[in-house]
């Protein structure tokens, strides 16, 4: 079968075949094209070896580069440099087809390729800082290699950072290459960030079935090349700002760690109550509308309302009564309080004393003031002598009842002197406008009051073209 397909490839026909890697329950289609790309991969460790073998499987010609001669020898023999499910078969196949080789000669690899991946290690110090010396050393070597290679007749040489690096690394790598090569970024070469989302043990499957393909770039040319490079990877292709791409791996992995710790803390509470925690979390994960969804993942102001503060506090108290430490759950309240403090600091930093609060309830379209985070902000500003005006058409002080009334009267007993349903009045008489929820009434504020300072706590506007000063909390 493979022999026949190789003949078809030589005849430059397009066809589809299916790969089945032993013990990995997945299939994926790969479109054979008459010409693959020439790629160099700097670093033949875990990510580099997997990337080399998988790119060769996609029909590209790959040259691995490493200072370790044993790794180079293994790859030149069609053997992997790591132990991983399915990788040995891919390396052997790539070697047999002449699509994968390795060298210690940087200049040779750069000269023979149009894309260079940087996948060297980024170890961390005891303090948690990353050691990026390997990244910068490779950038220097690539720059020197480009100088020897000579500029391309068409297009640009693309350097892709695959290693996990902090925001700003891409920019520095570009400057190092410019200085070493004498080439101009954006004209002769470019640097993109292309983070990987591989799990050890399933990296081959993850490579061909990622949640998404992400590239951070400021080059239309590089985006087009990478769309072609990964066109047989059946996942959404996302092109974004370079620094956004650089930080994504840290955000992802920190959240994964948070999920594990949260699940463990819930499990510990459940065990203390003789409850099957796995049943609890199985049901938890069935909720794809709120629990496992984009909902609540919009950076902004603090949470509030009657449910979240009360129930979170109850679970924390339950753990305390069972003598179970739950530091992550314990810290939720403190983190929420910090976000309120950030709002206060942001408002006070404007240097103006007249502040208009647009929205007092914790959610648009309601009059619920219970644990509304902006109430605490208003209380603090009043204590500091700020002149406060509040617009909220849904909050009629005279009609407040029950716990809603008790909460607000304990915080701001003379609330009726501050709240009005006249939006224009509040805006005209204030120097700083603080938008606290997404009421439709606020949509035209920027256009109607172009000279005001606007503090947006909820990202009321996604795109802002504003003559005055505009700032969001996150």
């Amino acid at each position: 079968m493979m022999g026949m397909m190789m003949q078809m490839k030589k005849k430059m026909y397009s066809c589809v075949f299916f790969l089945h890697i032993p013990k990995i329950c997945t299939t994926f289609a790969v479109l054979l094209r008459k010409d693959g790309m020439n790629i160099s991969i700097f670093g033949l460790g875990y990510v580099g070896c997997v990337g080399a073998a998988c790119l060769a499987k996609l029909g590209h010609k790959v040259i691995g580069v490493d200072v370790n001669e044993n790794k180079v020898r293994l790859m030149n023999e069609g053997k992997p440099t790591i132990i991983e499910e399915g990788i040995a078969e891919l390396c052997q196949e790539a070697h047999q087809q002449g699509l994968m080789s390795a060298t210690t000669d940087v200049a040779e690899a750069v000269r023979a390729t149009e894309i260079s991946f940087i996948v060297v290690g980024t170890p961390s110090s005891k303090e948690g800082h990353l050691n990026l010396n390997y990244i910068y050393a490779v950038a220097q070597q690539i720059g020197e290699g480009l100088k020897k290679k000579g500029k391309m007749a068409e297009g640009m040489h693309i350097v892709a950072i695959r290693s996990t690096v902090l925001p700003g690394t891409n920019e520095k790598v570009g400057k190092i290459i410019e200085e070493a090569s004498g080439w101009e970024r954006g004209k002769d070469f470019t640097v993109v960030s292309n983070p990987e989302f591989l799990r050890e043990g399933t990296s081959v499957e993850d490579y061909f079935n990622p949640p998404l393909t992400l590239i951070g770039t400021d080059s239309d040319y590089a985006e087009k090349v990478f769309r072609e490079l990964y066109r047989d990877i059946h996942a959404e292709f996302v092109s974004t700002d370079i620094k956004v791409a650089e930080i994504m791996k840290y955000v992802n992995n920190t959240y994964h760690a948070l999920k594990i710790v949260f699940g463990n803390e819930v499990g510990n509470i459940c065990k203390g109550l003789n409850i099957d925690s796995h049943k609890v979390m199985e049901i938890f994960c069935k909720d794809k509308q709120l629990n496992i969804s984009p909902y609540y993942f919009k950076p902004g102001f603090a949470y509030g309302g009657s449910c979240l503060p009360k129930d979170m506090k109850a679970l924390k108290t339950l753990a305390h009564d069972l003598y179970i430490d739950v530091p992550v759950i314990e810290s939720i309240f403190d983190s929420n309080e910090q976000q309120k403090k950030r709002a206060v600091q942001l408002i006070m930093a404007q240097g103006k004393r007249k502040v208009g609060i647009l929205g007092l309830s914790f959610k648009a379209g309601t009059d619920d003031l219970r644990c509304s985070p902006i109430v605490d902000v208003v209380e603090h500003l009043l204590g500091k002598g700020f002149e406060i005006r509040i617009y909220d058409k849904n909050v009629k002080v005279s009609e407040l009842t029950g716990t809603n009334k008790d909460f607000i009267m304990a915080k701001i007993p003379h609330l009726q002197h501050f709240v009005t349903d006249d939006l224009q009045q509040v805006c005209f008489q204030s120097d700083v406008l603080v938008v606290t929820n997404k009421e439709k009434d606020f949509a035209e504020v920027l256009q109607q009051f172009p000279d005001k300072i606007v503090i947006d706590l909820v990202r009321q506007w996604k795109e802002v073209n504003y003559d005055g000063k505009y700032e969001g909390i996150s």
Side-chain angles (χ1 to χ4, degrees):
M1 174 69 176
M2 287 302 299
M4 186 174 74
M5 298 192 73
M6 287 303 298
Q7 291 176 4
M8 294 174 70
K9 184 176 180 182
K10 290 176 182 177
K11 293 179 180 178
M12 302 171 71
Y13 292 136
S14 293
C15 70
V16 175
F17 70 91
F18 292 91
L19 169 70
H20 175 71
I21 299 172
K23 299 182 181 179
I24 297 182
C25 298
T26 183
T27 60
F28 48 89
V30 179
L31 182 64
L32 284 174
R33 62 175 65 86
K34 55 186 177 182
D35 291 311
M37 297 184 187
N38 296 310
I39 300 165
S40 48
I41 295 184
F42 288 79
L44 296 178
Y46 185 84
V47 177
C49 181
V50 172
C54 292
L55 283 169
K57 185 64 188 178
L58 291 172
H60 305 296
K61 191 168 185 177
V62 182
I63 301 176
V65 187
D66 205 293
V67 295
N68 188 312
E69 293 184 358
N70 185 52
K71 291 182 178 180
V72 171
R73 177 185 59 80
L74 286 171
M75 185 159 283
N76 281 327
E77 293 175 354
K79 299 176 182 177
T81 62
I82 60 170
I83 303 297
E84 180 74 1
E85 188 84 22
I87 195 70
E89 294 89 339
L90 287 182
C91 286
Q92 183 180 24
E93 181 182 329
H95 175 67
Q96 291 172 346
Q97 295 179 355
L99 292 176
M100 190 173 74
S101 61
T103 182
T104 58
D105 189 332
V106 173
E108 174 193 340
V110 172
R111 184 171 56 251
T113 59
E114 57 254 20
I115 303 174
S116 296
F117 280 92
I118 299 178
V119 289
V120 295
T122 54
S124 59
S125 66
K126 293 180 180 179
E127 295 78 20
H129 297 109
L130 287 186
N131 181 352
L132 298 176
N133 291 337
Y134 299 118
I135 297 282
Y136 299 144
V138 169
Q140 177 74 26
Q141 293 172 341
I142 291 175
E144 293 169 356
L146 290 175
K147 187 174 184 178
K148 296 177 182 178
K149 173 183 178 179
K151 298 178 182 179
M152 298 170 62
E154 295 182 6
M156 294 183 284
H157 192 98
I158 301 173
V159 177
I161 302 175
R162 190 82 163 157
S163 303
T164 303
V165 297
L166 292 171
T169 305
N170 183 298
E171 182 180 0
K172 186 169 182 179
V173 164
K175 290 179 179 178
I176 291 172
I177 294 174
E178 274 191 322
E179 292 175 3
S181 65
W183 290 20
E184 182 181 344
R185 177 172 183 163
K187 178 182 177 183
D188 307 312
F189 79 96
T190 190
V191 184
V192 305
S193 292
N194 179 218
E196 47 82 18
F197 304 103
L198 307 178
R199 297 167 296 171
E200 290 193 39
T202 60
S203 61
V204 173
E205 181 176 8
D206 290 346
Y207 193 98
F208 292 109
N209 301 279
L212 55 90
T213 298
L214 180 63
I215 178 176
T217 183
D218 53 9
S219 166
D220 292 339
Y221 171 79
E223 180 182 337
K224 291 176 182 177
V225 170
F226 268 68
R227 284 186 182 276
E228 175 67 17
L229 179 72
Y230 291 128
R231 75 174 188 176
D232 297 327
I233 301 296
H234 300 296
E236 181 183 2
F237 186 99
V238 178
S239 179
T240 187
D241 301 335
I242 289 172
K243 287 187 177 181
V244 171
E246 287 180 304
I247 203 172
M248 283 312 305
K249 191 72 180 289
Y250 296 101
V251 175
N252 286 7
N253 283 346
T254 301
Y255 179 56
H256 297 331
L258 175 63
K259 288 189 291 185
I260 291 170
V261 172
F262 176 76
N264 288 342
E265 289 189 358
V266 170
N268 294 338
I269 294 173
C270 288
K271 183 172 182 178
L273 296 167
N274 198 28
I275 295 172
D276 188 336
S277 61
H278 283 254
K279 289 183 178 179
V280 170
M281 295 311 292
E282 283 173 11
I283 295 171
F284 172 87
C285 292
K286 288 181 183 295
D287 181 354
K288 300 297 193 295
Q289 287 182 258
L290 298 179
N291 292 350
I292 313 297
S293 76
Y295 211 77
Y296 298 128
F297 276 117
K298 301 293 188 294
F301 197 31
Y303 65 73
S306 61
C307 295
L308 266 62
K310 174 177 67 70
D311 293 346
M312 190 279 300
K313 185 177 181 179
L315 185 63
K316 182 176 68 172
T317 303
L318 179 59
H320 180 268
D321 293 344
L322 294 168
Y323 300 98
I324 295 172
D325 290 331
V326 286
V328 166
I329 294 174
E330 287 272 1
S331 68
I332 293 173
F333 173 82
D334 292 337
S335 181
N336 201 55
E337 292 300 299
Q338 284 296 324
Q339 199 69 346
K340 296 177 188 177
K341 291 178 182 178
R342 284 180 64 88
V344 171
Q345 293 166 357
L346 190 56
I347 295 166
M348 293 179 64
Q350 308 310 315
K352 305 291 184 180
R353 306 300 294 179
K354 297 180 179 180
V355 177
I357 305 295
L358 308 189
L360 189 64
S361 61
F362 93 98
K363 185 179 289 187
T366 78
D367 66 347
D368 195 347
L369 302 176
R370 293 172 294 176
C371 294
S372 176
I374 197 62
V375 170
D376 289 339
V377 172
V378 169
E379 182 184 23
H380 187 94
L381 293 174
L382 286 171
K384 292 289 185 180
F386 280 75
E387 187 177 330
I388 302 296
R389 293 174 177 82
I390 304 171
Y391 167 78
D392 197 316
K393 66 181 181 182
N394 298 309
V395 176
K396 297 179 176 61
V397 179
S398 61
E399 297 179 8
L400 294 178
T401 60
T403 55
N404 202 16
K405 181 178 181 179
D406 293 341
F407 172 81
I408 197 62
M409 290 307 166
K411 293 279 187 179
I412 311 174
H414 304 294
L415 180 67
Q416 66 270 21
H417 299 305
F418 307 104
V419 178
T420 176
D421 59 0
D422 189 336
L423 177 60
Q424 297 293 313
Q425 180 188 14
V426 170
C427 292
F428 273 120
Q429 296 179 354
S430 304
D431 296 320
V432 179
L433 303 177
V434 182
V435 182
T436 73
N437 60 41
K438 292 192 175 185
E439 284 284 1
K440 294 179 180 178
D441 297 0
F442 308 151
E444 303 302 322
V445 165
L446 295 182
Q447 288 75 24
Q448 293 178 2
F449 301 94
D451 59 335
K452 302 294 182 179
I453 297 171
V454 176
I455 305 297
D456 186 356
L457 302 183
V458 291
R459 201 172 191 186
Q460 169 75 285
W461 302 274
K462 289 186 178 180
E463 300 293 334
V464 176
N465 183 13
Y466 185 51
D467 294 333
K469 182 179 178 182
Y470 172 93
E471 191 168 356
I473 190 170
S474 292

